[in-house]
Amino acid sequence: MNAQQVEQFFATLKAANPAPATELSFASPFECLAAVLLSAQATDVGVNKATRRLFATAPTPERMLALGEAGIAEHIRTLGLFRNKARHLLQTCRILVEQHGGRVPREREALEALPGVGRKTANVVLNVVWGEPTMAVDTHIFRVANRTGLALGKTPLAVEQGLLARVPPSYLRDAHHWLILHGRYVCKARSPDCAGCAVRSNCDQRL
């Protein structure tokens, strides 16, 4: 995919969805962090169902600590790896309270130091909460970037770096959302809807 195709690719996605957003439900930076932490190997729909009651009960790190690991686990038991996630979320809340005054840090290093928070989760929080032009490469973005020729790479980090280098600055803040949604609903893993794809003409896999 050349530079002109990349421009057309994102212009088309923007025209169809000018203000893309995450499908995770949250009402604060802390809830965003918690939701993304819980979303590993889970669907956004499943996470939203689990966090609806959890966030109503414990919307802050302090309240989450009071709920305890068993209490958190009970709220999220419908999610895969819920025991590990409950432990990581509790540990994260303790660090937020003890080291960050109960607030979600804005620095990547501080975010990645939280239990259960890796580079992808940190990128989501930086982008969604703080509006930074980051690229959280999940399975959808990894697939779309490689399949379309947008950014080839054998690892998520390689794809992330490729996308940051190739996506025009004017699209970079929202590109992560467009690519996730495109991979989730159009450029699916097993049955991509190439016939109904709006960016098909700019894709290296076009028929």
Side-chain angles (χ1 to χ4, degrees):
M1 192 183 294
N2 59 40
Q4 183 178 3
Q5 289 174 310
V6 173
E7 169 69 32
Q8 292 174 345
F9 183 96
F10 284 102
T12 301
L13 294 179
K14 181 176 182 178
N17 186 3
T22 178
E23 294 185 320
L24 289 171
S25 298
F26 60 88
S28 69
F30 169 67
E31 290 186 3
C32 177
L33 172 63
V36 179
L37 188 155
L38 296 174
S39 69
Q41 300 182 38
T43 65
D44 287 358
V45 172
V47 173
N48 290 340
K49 184 177 180 180
T51 57
R52 192 172 296 119
R53 286 195 314 119
L54 176 63
F55 291 160
T57 303
T60 66
E62 294 83 359
R63 294 277 292 276
M64 199 73 75
L65 281 173
L67 191 59
E69 185 175 332
I72 296 172
E74 184 61 31
H75 280 84
I76 65 171
R77 60 184 306 109
T78 56
L79 300 177
L81 306 173
F82 74 93
R83 290 187 178 88
N84 285 338
K85 291 178 179 180
R87 184 173 65 255
H88 287 156
L89 181 53
L90 189 70
Q91 292 170 342
T92 284
C93 289
R94 185 169 291 112
I95 292 173
L96 291 179
V97 170
E98 294 177 355
Q99 300 182 20
H100 302 286
R103 297 184 178 183
V104 176
R106 188 167 183 169
E107 299 75 25
R108 174 186 297 281
E109 294 76 11
L111 286 169
E112 291 187 19
L114 299 171
V117 177
R119 186 177 182 86
K120 182 182 73 173
T121 298
N123 278 337
V124 173
V125 174
L126 290 170
N127 178 267
V128 173
V129 175
W130 309 117
E132 295 191 17
T134 59
M135 192 67 61
V137 179
D138 67 352
T139 56
H140 296 300
I141 292 184
F142 187 81
R143 180 178 63 255
V144 171
N146 277 288
R147 181 183 279 169
T148 62
L150 183 59
L152 303 179
K154 294 183 178 180
T155 67
L157 180 57
V159 169
E160 176 188 334
Q161 293 171 338
L163 288 170
L164 291 174
R166 300 205 70 199
V167 177
S170 59
Y171 300 115
L172 199 50
R173 178 173 176 175
D174 293 322
H176 145 251
H177 294 301
W178 285 317
L179 293 175
I180 285 179
L181 294 172
H182 190 66
R184 184 174 292 165
Y185 297 111
V186 182
C187 196
K188 296 172 285 188
R190 296 185 179 179
S191 54
D193 182 17
C194 295
C197 178
V199 294
R200 180 181 176 186
S201 63
N202 297 306
C203 173
D204 284 354
Q205 294 297 313
R206 64 188 182 278
L207 301 178

